[in-house]
Amino acid sequence: MSRPEDILPPDLFYNDTESRKYTTSSRIQKIQSSMTHRALSLLSLTSPSLILDVGCGSGLSGEILSQDEDSGTPGGPHVWIGFDISASMLGVALEKEVEGDLFLADAGQGVPFRPGTFDAAISISAVQWLCNAETSEESPAGRLSRFFNGLYASLRRGGRAVCQFYPKNDLQKKMVSSAAVKAGFGAGLLEDDEGTKNAKTYLVLTVGGGDVDGDITGVVRGMEGVDVMDERRRAKDRKRGEDKKGSKAWIMRKKEQMERKGKVVKTNSKYTGRKRRIAF
Amino acid sequence: MKLLTLNFLTCAIKTCKSSPASFPLHPRDAELEVVEADLNLAFLKNILPRLMWDELRVIASELGLPALPETPPSKADLSIPSPTAPAPATTLQLDPEAIDAPENPPVVESDVEEETPSQTAVDLHRILLETCITEGKLVCGNCGHEYAVKEGVANFLLPGHLV
């Protein structure tokens, strides 16, 4: 299947015809709405909040955010602010007269809001666009880190963000989640219908707080097939657990490594790795 | 663009991030419009502690709106505890005429267990969520960069060297 990210940059790909196609297709509408509902349930908002919609496009997800509790939006109606890089998409949103405020902005250039602005952030099928850089001045890693750093700052403490995206491969999935973790988020990756063609990847991010176990977000607790990545903890553990060079444990580990490689290694004895007496 | 949003926007340029002058962005040649919206008392209460009131006053005066009181209203001011109690004394002295709005602010029906929004809440709702900038420019106080606003959509795309 062709990926639109590989064809053109988002501002050019979503031109007037493509934006209209995207917005009027009932199939896309249905998928977007189910993903938005899923993301909202992951955000678990209880009261009307200020929400950032990254890559809001024509406001398909924003329309759901503006709905009230009776229409299936928990805690709604929310007030949302959305930005998108495609002017045509925003044009369609203007025609539909969505309630949220719209911006023409590139998420890869950061999030221009003062710290602690939003209660939550949502992003439906947008983050994969950040994995491409269109000029040699930029890099996907730089774009991702600017976006997540900006997002981290603009969310209030205890806030949450859910980013649904289509990773091209595991590498891209890792690149996105590690960029989020580096920015300071607690990150959990959730996959619906894993392994099928309809697989949906949600990156659940939290700001501040955190439990002892790896599952900081709490939303994936008790769910099957969920990987929890915590880069900070892994780095700390590695540092503590690493053997000092020259110690007995280090020598044993090295010998084991060599043995696995098929090298000839002396058998271990009680003298292996023992300290020598000082000669004088 | 709502004035609420303007109260959270900063300049997007990297070198402005550390400067306090990059917030708020100052509207210039702005055309205002009032878009009716439902009053959401729970949201107002949620957002109230996060508002930068002084900056909101500055922007309101730059836009030629009636002056806001010096101190922000408290959460208690937003609702009338019981229907018989008199309205709080610290109402925002907003004249709806000044921003070509309908004469009577919409009467909002509240749910059975919820409190009734006070005049303060109605005024706050009007200025934050119903007053929108449709055309004009937003200017950063630090670097002087101008962000164009067209049909209520601000353009925050930056050339590569400013990111």
Side-chain angles (χ1 to χ4, degrees):
Chain A
M1 202 179 80
S2 70
R3 295 175 61 86
E5 301 87 272
D6 296 341
I7 301 171
L8 274 175
D11 44 338
L12 300 177
F13 180 80
Y14 288 114
N15 53 18
D16 288 344
T17 45
E18 202 64 36
S19 308
R20 203 155 297 279
K21 238 198 277 176
Y22 192 92
T23 317
T24 51
S25 156
S26 61
R27 185 182 137 269
I28 290 177
Q29 275 177 8
K30 193 169 147 280
I31 296 174
Q32 292 270 332
S33 120
S34 72
M35 288 192 299
T36 311
H37 281 295
R38 178 84 169 110
L40 268 171
S41 72
L42 291 171
L43 287 176
S44 56
L45 297 165
T46 50
S47 60
S49 315
L50 187 61
I51 301 183
L52 176 69
D53 188 347
V54 182
C56 61
S58 51
L60 287 174
S61 45
E63 281 173 338
I64 294 171
L65 296 179
S66 313
Q67 283 172 356
D68 55 8
E69 198 130 25
D70 305 328
S71 318
T73 303
H78 303 291
V79 176
W80 59 278
I81 297 173
F83 62 76
D84 204 283
I85 193 170
S86 160
S88 308
M89 277 287 199
L90 293 175
V92 177
L94 277 181
E95 275 174 33
K96 291 202 294 183
E97 296 186 344
V98 293
E99 286 182 32
D101 269 343
L102 303 169
F103 285 91
L104 182 67
D106 181 4
Q109 294 183 343
V111 182
F113 290 93
R114 66 178 165 85
T117 300
F118 298 102
D119 295 297
I122 193 172
S123 164
I124 303 293
S125 317
V127 176
Q128 73 269 12
W129 288 100
L130 295 178
C131 299
N132 293 19
E134 305 307 333
T135 59
S136 57
E137 289 173 352
E138 296 179 294
S139 68
R143 286 168 62 77
L144 279 169
S145 92
R146 262 196 303 276
F147 166 59
F148 282 116
N149 282 327
L151 187 66
Y152 185 82
S154 67
L155 284 171
R156 66 170 177 80
R157 301 296 100 178
R160 263 190 196 172
V162 175
C163 305
Q164 183 276 329
F165 67 110
Y166 294 112
K168 192 194 270 179
N169 43 32
D170 276 352
L171 195 75
Q172 219 172 60
K173 215 186 284 179
K174 209 169 169 229
M175 183 163 82
V176 170
S177 50
S178 64
V181 170
K182 257 186 212 147
F185 283 110
L189 214 50
L190 173 75
E191 274 190 44
D192 284 354
D193 303 328
E194 200 180 356
T196 67
K197 232 170 72 176
N198 301 329
K200 300 278 180 296
T201 312
Y202 297 87
L203 183 66
V204 184
L205 305 169
T206 51
V207 180
D211 288 326
V212 204
D213 59 339
D215 183 8
I216 310 169
T217 57
V219 285
V220 291
R221 189 163 290 140
M223 287 183 191
E224 274 178 53
V226 174
D227 281 340
V228 176
M229 297 197 22
D230 194 339
E231 206 73 25
R232 295 168 297 182
R233 181 158 297 118
R234 223 177 60 193
K236 220 189 326 173
D237 284 353
R238 204 189 302 125
K239 215 173 276 167
R240 202 191 305 136
E242 211 166 35
D243 308 313
K244 211 178 152 216
K245 194 176 174 184
S247 69
K248 183 163 181 180
W250 182 81
I251 293 174
M252 296 303 243
R253 191 164 57 83
K254 283 289 181 192
K255 286 183 80 169
E256 225 168 82
Q257 263 178 10
M258 289 299 145
E259 207 165 5
R260 258 187 275 129
K261 275 188 186 170
K263 299 260 167 71
V264 179
V265 175
K266 290 270 184 191
T267 44
N268 290 336
S269 73
K270 64 174 180 180
Y271 301 108
T272 309
R274 208 161 80 166
K275 266 251 149 62
R276 277 168 200 262
R277 190 185 295 141
I278 302 165
F280 291 99
Chain B
M1 193 175 50
K2 301 182 185 78
L3 288 196
L4 173 79
T5 312
L6 195 54
N7 198 250
F8 289 111
L9 263 183
T10 62
C11 183
I13 291 169
K14 196 182 175 187
T15 46
C16 286
K17 288 262 154 67
S18 51
S19 159
S22 68
F23 173 81
L25 298 176
H26 302 280
R28 192 174 291 167
D29 314 329
E31 285 175 30
L32 293 182
E33 189 187 35
V34 170
V35 180
E36 297 276 323
D38 292 336
L39 195 146
N40 189 339
L41 193 59
F43 176 76
L44 281 182
K45 283 189 177 174
N46 179 8
I47 206 75
L48 191 60
R50 264 178 279 168
L51 287 178
M52 301 281 255
W53 189 256
D54 292 341
E55 281 77 1
L56 188 68
R57 291 187 68 220
V58 170
I59 287 173
S61 69
E62 281 175 13
L63 287 171
L65 296 176
L68 301 176
E70 278 183 26
T71 51
S74 68
K75 277 189 185 181
D77 292 340
L78 292 183
S79 55
I80 303 167
S82 65
T84 50
T90 56
T91 48
L92 314 179
Q93 299 298 323
L94 260 185
D95 182 14
E97 295 284 342
I99 38 177
D100 60 29
E103 290 187 14
N104 299 318
V107 181
V108 179
E109 288 177 11
S110 61
D111 290 346
V112 185
E113 71 272 36
E114 274 180 20
E115 308 116 310
T116 337
S118 63
Q119 187 58 41
T120 319
V122 172
D123 290 342
L124 197 65
H125 173 73
R126 165 136 304 217
I127 190 140
L128 286 179
L129 292 150
E130 292 188 339
T131 312
C132 299
I133 299 178
T134 51
E135 301 280 331
K137 284 175 197 152
L138 299 176
V139 184
C140 170
N142 186 41
C143 64
H145 190 89
E146 291 181 350
Y147 299 94
V149 184
K150 277 178 192 156
E151 295 183 62
V153 177
N155 182 352
F156 271 73
L157 284 178
L158 292 175
H161 65 277
L162 289 175
V163 178

